[in-house]
Amino acid sequence: MSFLFFDIESAGFFEGQSHICSFGYVICDENFNILQKEDIVMNPESRFEPRLLQPDSDCPLSYPKEYFESQPNFPHFYEKIKGLLTDSDRKVIGFASEHDVDFIICACENYKLPQIQFEAFDIRPMLKADFHETFGLSKWIEFFNIKTPLHAHKSCDDAEMTMLVLQKLCEHEQKSLPQVLETYARCKKSSVIRWKAKIMDKYKKLVIQKIESFYDKKCRQPISRALEGNYLLSLDKNRDVDQFLKIVQFIYINGGVVLSHSEEGAILVKDTGRFPPQFIFEENPLHIRFLHLGDLYQKCGEKEPKFKRQRQNITEEDLEKAKNLGA
């Protein structure tokens, strides 16, 4: 069994995407003997955040900008990085590893490469559990009084510092490296889970954009006028966004207008059974009226749809459908 400590540096975060410029790692045995160390420097093929180029930056680049740009890009190193992270006889460990996992996800997405499926232990919550502190990596080096010539924000050095800090945690708990990882088995970040979460977030944003496209609009050819009037929606925040869209569309095609803001005389629609029908504000200057969702559907001679919580199995196919939602 070997243990890979890794760290990733990014050129910046632009238009919702990060751009890797170095992947550093240290491989050691269970006694913290270093077997291999490397800084894989690559061309991020993006601009760099200006603060990274400043001489007095709190997060300076470890190499000249020109050196990064002279290196191959992420696809060139994809198979190597994949092999490092997915070796079946290896545990992967990082500090605040959710960020590094997200960097890998973004890189695979940017270059349309298959997602690398791996799990990475995160030592940050382990340290917090033992010492009740939430320091950054450099501060933990100071905390443990570790004397080292390593440079912060150089990926391979950050990876080694992560290893040194975890070594101190093992000494503090008087446990071996495998024992500590077993103790904190839940302190892991999964690229699969985080990738699914990213798809979910994108999907919800697309559907919410579609929902908002109906706000303040009146259907020119409604199928009925049973719901004529202005409506405000106050529904359970956990409701499935697809179901929320259907409710908005239902009001729209039956002659109602869903408002983006409060207006005098509007009807506030709440989930059936969650608030009493007689619920009113002590002060109601806009003369807001109240209606349960079930009563709204009953006006059109239909039954209220069964409440659904947000589904978790959003797929890439769902995402494509959401991108092409019709008006």
Side-chain angles (χ1 to χ4, degrees):
M1 175 68 69
S2 64
F3 303 85
L4 181 140
F5 293 83
F6 80 115
D7 177 75
I8 294 174
E9 294 298 318
S10 168
F13 191 77
F14 307 108
E15 298 175 353
Q17 297 290 338
S18 58
H19 301 269
I20 296 176
C21 60
S22 65
F23 178 101
Y25 69 92
V26 167
I27 298 175
C28 71
D29 61 21
E30 65 178 76
N31 295 315
F32 296 98
N33 297 309
I34 294 178
L35 308 174
Q36 189 176 344
K37 178 178 178 179
E38 184 181 8
D39 209 13
I40 300 174
V41 181
M42 64 191 77
N43 184 350
E45 298 191 305
S46 81
R47 63 186 188 276
F48 286 79
E49 283 189 10
R51 70 185 181 89
L52 302 178
L53 306 175
Q54 302 301 321
D56 57 348
S57 172
D58 62 339
C59 186
L61 293 172
S62 296
Y63 307 94
K65 175 174 173 284
E66 293 73 23
Y67 179 66
F68 287 106
E69 293 174 340
S70 70
Q71 299 305 299
N73 60 13
F74 178 81
H76 178 84
F77 299 107
Y78 171 81
E79 290 297 337
K80 180 173 184 175
I81 291 172
K82 180 181 177 181
L84 288 166
L85 294 173
T86 60
D87 188 318
S88 60
D89 194 40
R90 178 175 295 152
K91 300 295 184 184
V92 178
I93 306 160
F95 183 92
S97 57
E98 71 271 14
H99 301 304
D100 297 313
V101 171
D102 285 349
F103 289 154
I104 295 291
I105 289 171
C106 279
C108 292
E109 185 179 44
N110 289 344
Y111 290 104
K112 302 187 185 314
L113 295 167
Q115 286 295 326
I116 300 174
Q117 300 184 18
F118 71 103
E119 288 184 330
F121 284 90
D122 186 353
I123 73 166
R124 185 170 59 171
M126 301 179 192
L127 293 163
K128 183 179 179 181
D130 262 30
F131 300 100
H132 310 290
E133 297 288 356
T134 54
F135 299 143
L137 182 58
S138 295
K139 189 69 175 177
W140 280 113
I141 290 289
E142 293 178 17
F143 178 85
F144 289 118
N145 197 29
I146 299 172
K147 304 302 181 184
T148 174
L150 300 172
H151 297 285
H153 308 299
K154 182 177 181 180
S155 291
C156 60
D157 282 358
D158 277 349
E160 185 174 347
M161 284 192 280
T162 300
M163 183 197 74
L164 293 173
V165 169
L166 184 53
Q167 185 175 14
K168 290 294 185 181
L169 178 63
C170 291
E171 292 171 3
H172 175 76
E173 294 200 359
Q174 296 184 325
K175 294 178 181 177
S176 68
L177 175 51
Q179 287 172 334
V180 166
L181 295 184
E182 184 178 356
T183 300
Y184 294 102
R186 293 187 176 182
C187 295
K188 285 189 289 191
K189 306 300 178 186
S190 163
S191 66
V192 174
I193 292 174
R194 291 191 71 81
W195 172 234
K196 287 182 177 179
K198 282 174 67 71
I199 293 177
M200 170 67 77
D201 288 343
K202 289 181 181 180
Y203 180 80
K204 288 175 73 173
K205 285 177 182 177
L206 288 167
V207 178
I208 288 170
Q209 287 174 7
K210 182 60 184 176
I211 290 169
E212 292 174 347
S213 73
F214 283 95
Y215 287 172
D216 306 314
K217 292 181 181 177
K218 189 174 181 66
C219 182
R220 294 182 179 179
Q221 295 181 316
I223 62 172
S224 83
R225 300 190 181 278
L227 298 181
E228 276 200 343
N230 294 328
Y231 294 84
L232 295 165
L233 300 182
S234 179
L235 305 177
D236 192 303
K237 65 181 180 181
N238 293 316
R239 186 179 291 276
D240 190 306
V241 290
D242 296 308
Q243 188 179 35
F244 200 106
L245 174 59
K246 288 178 182 178
I247 292 169
V248 170
Q249 290 172 325
F250 181 77
I251 294 172
Y252 178 78
I253 64 174
N254 283 285
V257 176
V258 178
L259 299 176
S260 59
H261 58 279
S262 297
E263 253 183 42
E264 186 167 358
I267 301 168
L268 181 64
V269 179
K270 290 182 173 286
D271 283 294
T272 301
R274 296 185 178 273
F275 297 89
Q278 66 273 21
F279 176 80
I280 58 171
F281 297 120
E282 291 182 9
E283 295 183 10
N284 189 4
L286 294 178
H287 307 289
I288 301 293
R289 292 172 288 163
F290 302 89
L291 190 67
H292 277 146
L293 185 61
D295 297 328
L296 180 83
Y297 276 86
Q298 192 173 35
K299 279 189 170 189
C300 299
E302 296 191 27
K303 290 184 178 180
E304 175 190 359
K306 187 177 180 180
F307 175 83
K308 294 180 182 177
R309 290 191 173 274
Q310 182 61 54
R311 59 197 177 103
Q312 300 299 313
N313 59 337
I314 301 297
T315 65
E316 288 280 11
E317 185 179 355
D318 292 322
L319 193 58
E320 287 304 311
K321 288 180 181 177
K323 290 177 183 176
N324 299 308
L325 278 172

